[in-house]
Amino acid sequence: MRIVGIETSCDETAIGIVADGRTVLASAVSSSLAQHGPYGGVIPEIAARAHVETIWEVFATALEEAHLSPDAIDAVAVTQGPGLPGALHIGLAFAKGLALSLDRPLIPVDHLAAHLYAAEMTDPTLKPPYVGLVVSGGHTLLCVAHADCRFELLGETKDDAVGEAFDKVAKLLGLGYPGGPVIDRLSDEGNASLVRFPRSHSKRPFDFSFSGLKTAVYHEVQKLVQGSRLKVQGGDLEPRTLNLEQQQIADIAASFQEAAIDILVTKTLKACQRTGITRVAVGGGVASNRRLRTRLGEEGTQNKLQVVFPPPPLCVDNGAMVAGLGYPLLQLGRVAPLSITSDSNLCLV
Ligand code: KG4
Ligand code: ZN
């Protein structure tokens, strides 16, 4: 059973082809990331136009990579949401055209569930139920993944997503966009215990909050920049050129990363304790973070938990995870009519 997976929820136009929900035959990605860099964040209109321009080419690349003709595709899976509305429409319209022309079933997929399914593709011994930690640029949540591909939400962020916090702190430190990979690398050279940033814990045990941490970083920077007139405008941090030394920037980056990862690890362990589940899957762009991988890996060993991180190419937005999840969904009969619409607020159905 070969399923094509189409992903256009944000700035990656990605198409994967996966056999039997496991074997990746192709994973083609074209990113408009470079076009968003100057703005310090993804511009929805630019992302949508880039999808329109490149989606055919990405599809052709995926077919070539898999050495397949379109006829060899058995079903079409597509990200229905969550994501940028304009960007989602393009992937969905393309998927419908493909399903119609090939006369194949159309399978709508939740983007966040697909991020978690990437862990099942990585390690076939990972079986539901497992605790899922989704850490991306737009979402941070904990859930329980059940065997029937249903996801029970335990808690989510009440303000910024963790990836967004990485991006905003990087912007504040003048490190460019996206900030996660830069902070990850720079933290190697910083002293992570130099500043003890707050580990904010919201009242509900599995909800997250990162805005307090972000503001604490802002105040620390303000203290360090002499004669600064930094202001928090509209609750957001302003980009600026700092007069900080490289070492100071690395120390703040490492201390921020330590606090953010600490929050994620603590809540994930708590979710395992409360549910009695001993398996954990991590998904989303921030799952590439080396400190998160090390910390949760170590805690997993200590607490006898199976912790699965997909390899970095399966952590970022990709079509293979969408195609992969399409397989069990198809077996469960979760196909959709061609009248289906995208849902930018979808969250782990
Ligand atoms: O899942 P993703 O590719 O897109 C969304 O669905 O949001 O995640 C992108 C996010 C960005 O905020 C980026 O800064 C963050 O993932 N990210 C990282 C790392 N690599 C990407 N954050 C921390 N450490 C990393 N190594
Ligand atoms: Zn994503």
Side-chain angles (χ1 to χ4, degrees):
M1 174 66 66
R2 297 186 199 96
I3 299 186
V4 65
I6 296 165
E7 157 59 43
T8 63
S9 66
C10 194
D11 57 340
E12 265 91 31
T13 315
I15 300 189
I17 303 173
V18 172
D20 301 329
R22 290 269 178 240
T23 314
V24 180
L25 304 177
S27 186
V29 183
S30 165
S31 178
S32 59
L33 187 69
Q35 295 177 55
H36 306 286
Y39 304 97
V42 175
I43 306 296
E45 175 70 13
I46 294 178
R49 283 177 182 274
H51 291 315
V52 174
E53 274 166 27
T54 58
I55 197 160
W56 278 104
E57 212 178 305
V58 175
F59 181 53
T61 306
L63 288 175
E64 208 175 299
E65 226 177 280
H67 305 292
L68 293 175
S69 69
D71 291 349
I73 305 287
D74 297 303
V76 180
V78 60
T79 298
Q80 186 188 13
L84 303 171
L88 288 167
H89 282 319
I90 292 147
L92 190 60
F94 186 83
K96 286 182 182 187
L98 203 56
L100 182 67
S101 63
L102 297 173
D103 191 21
R104 301 288 194 267
L106 180 69
I107 312 157
V109 168
D110 179 291
H111 177 80
L112 307 178
H115 269 308
L116 292 177
Y117 188 81
E120 290 192 52
M121 290 168 74
T122 305
D123 184 346
T125 69
L126 176 72
K127 299 268 182 243
Y130 57 80
V131 167
L133 172 69
V134 176
V135 279
S136 76
H139 297 83
T140 303
L141 60 82
L142 274 165
C143 65
V144 175
H146 295 287
D148 60 353
C149 286
R150 304 262 168 212
F151 295 82
E152 184 189 334
L153 191 65
L154 295 176
E156 60 190 327
T157 183
K158 291 295 146 199
D159 39 59
D160 291 341
V162 63
E164 198 180 347
F166 269 88
D167 293 337
K168 286 179 177 170
V169 166
K171 194 169 167 184
L172 175 75
L173 295 173
L175 299 173
Y177 175 84
V182 188
I183 290 184
D184 187 343
R185 275 197 306 278
L186 197 61
S187 294
D188 288 346
E189 292 147 39
N191 177 357
S193 44
L194 194 76
V195 189
R196 167 99 193 160
F197 286 121
R199 274 68 168 155
S200 50
H201 291 285
S202 49
K203 282 194 194 118
R204 289 163 51 113
F206 305 121
D207 281 345
F208 297 90
S209 168
F210 291 99
S211 71
L213 171 58
K214 182 188 70 179
T215 309
V217 174
Y218 166 80
H219 286 302
E220 186 62 30
V221 170
Q222 201 171 28
K223 264 201 292 186
L224 291 172
V225 179
Q226 286 189 345
S228 161
R229 287 209 207 121
L230 290 175
K231 278 202 177 87
V232 177
Q233 292 180 350
D236 236 342
L237 300 169
E238 286 290 289
R240 56 194 53 257
T241 315
L242 298 168
N243 296 320
L244 296 184
E245 288 173 18
Q246 276 309 106
Q247 190 57 52
Q248 287 177 307
I249 293 179
D251 291 342
I252 291 174
S255 300
F256 155 76
Q257 175 176 271
E258 198 60 21
I261 300 307
D262 207 23
I263 294 167
L264 297 175
V265 171
T266 307
K267 298 235 170 196
T268 306
L269 293 178
K270 198 179 282 177
C272 291
Q273 281 161 9
R274 290 272 176 98
T275 58
I277 294 172
T278 57
R279 293 177 289 269
V280 179
V282 190
V286 185
S288 299
N289 183 275
R290 289 169 307 149
R291 186 66 183 140
L292 176 60
R293 295 172 89 96
T294 307
R295 279 274 331 265
L296 205 50
E298 286 169 359
E299 295 286 353
T301 309
Q302 264 179 33
N303 292 282
K304 298 194 170 42
L305 304 172
Q306 178 187 16
V307 180
V308 181
F309 282 92
L314 274 185
C315 290
V316 294
D317 288 349
N318 67 87
M321 66 184 189
V322 176
L325 180 56
Y327 181 67
L329 290 176
L330 182 63
Q331 287 175 323
L332 290 161
R334 300 214 340 230
V335 297
L338 291 179
S339 56
I340 190 175
T341 58
S342 61
D343 181 350
S344 54
N345 296 317
L346 201 68
C347 191
L348 298 176
V349 275

